[in-house]
Amino acid sequence: MAKPVVLIVEDEALIRMSAVHIVEDAGFAVVEACNADEAIGILESRDDIRAVFTDINMSGSMDGWKLAHAIRGRWPPLHLIVTSGLSVPNRDQMPLRGRFIAKPYTAAQLTAALRDLFGDSPAPGPLTNDNDHNYGKVA
């Protein structure tokens, strides 16, 4: 059975790398994008992506809010998780069925959100606490 694919959109390379490790350790396959424009290109060229985890504040032609709403409009079945360390969204900002995780988030928080969205489908093993993998908090 193929692993569900998660697209991680984050312009800070170290934060993106950390998120990739967390998501892979949770049992998902990962595709990376450094901005919304790259993410849209990936989504247009692939049909195997099942979720998008995006930062809100990033450079490029659109921020994470615009990206999340564009995804909801063009690819409604995709799961969406947005993150930010600078703002907490109000109810009107969140796309339908979107989730929010505040930065700094932990590996356990991101893993739990993904497993909740996918109904534990990857099942690579039990949820781990951050100390098991020395992740700490991701900025």
Side-chain angles (χ1 to χ4, degrees), residues 18-109:
S18 180
V20 166
H21 290 297
I22 292 168
V23 173
E24 287 177 339
D25 284 351
F28 296 88
V30 174
V31 178
E32 303 175 50
C34 65
N35 60 43
D37 298 315
E38 186 177 6
I40 294 291
I42 291 168
L43 289 167
E44 288 175 339
S45 68
R46 297 182 62 147
D47 64 359
D48 60 339
I49 295 172
R50 298 294 171 253
V52 177
F53 177 55
T54 184
D55 187 23
I56 292 172
N57 300 354
M58 59 185 156
S59 59
S61 68
M62 67 176 89
D63 64 12
W65 287 126
K66 289 180 182 173
L67 173 63
H69 286 282
I71 289 168
R72 183 53 70 230
R74 289 183 65 185
W75 298 278
L78 294 182
H79 297 297
L80 287 170
I81 302 174
V82 295
T83 186
S84 177
L86 300 175
S87 63
V88 175
N90 64 46
R91 195 173 196 170
D92 295 334
Q93 288 176 300
M94 286 298 295
L96 187 63
R97 297 183 332 276
R99 304 268 176 115
F100 177 78
I101 299 176
K103 284 183 178 179
Y105 54 83
T106 66
Q109 288 172 311

Side-chain angles (χ1 to χ4, degrees), residues 8 14 39 66 71 79-80 85 104 106 110 115 117 119 121 132:
I8 296 174
L14 292 177
K66 289 180 182 173
I71 289 168
H79 297 297
L80 287 170
T106 66
L110 180 51
R115 293 209 174 154
L117 289 172
S121 64
D132 290 344

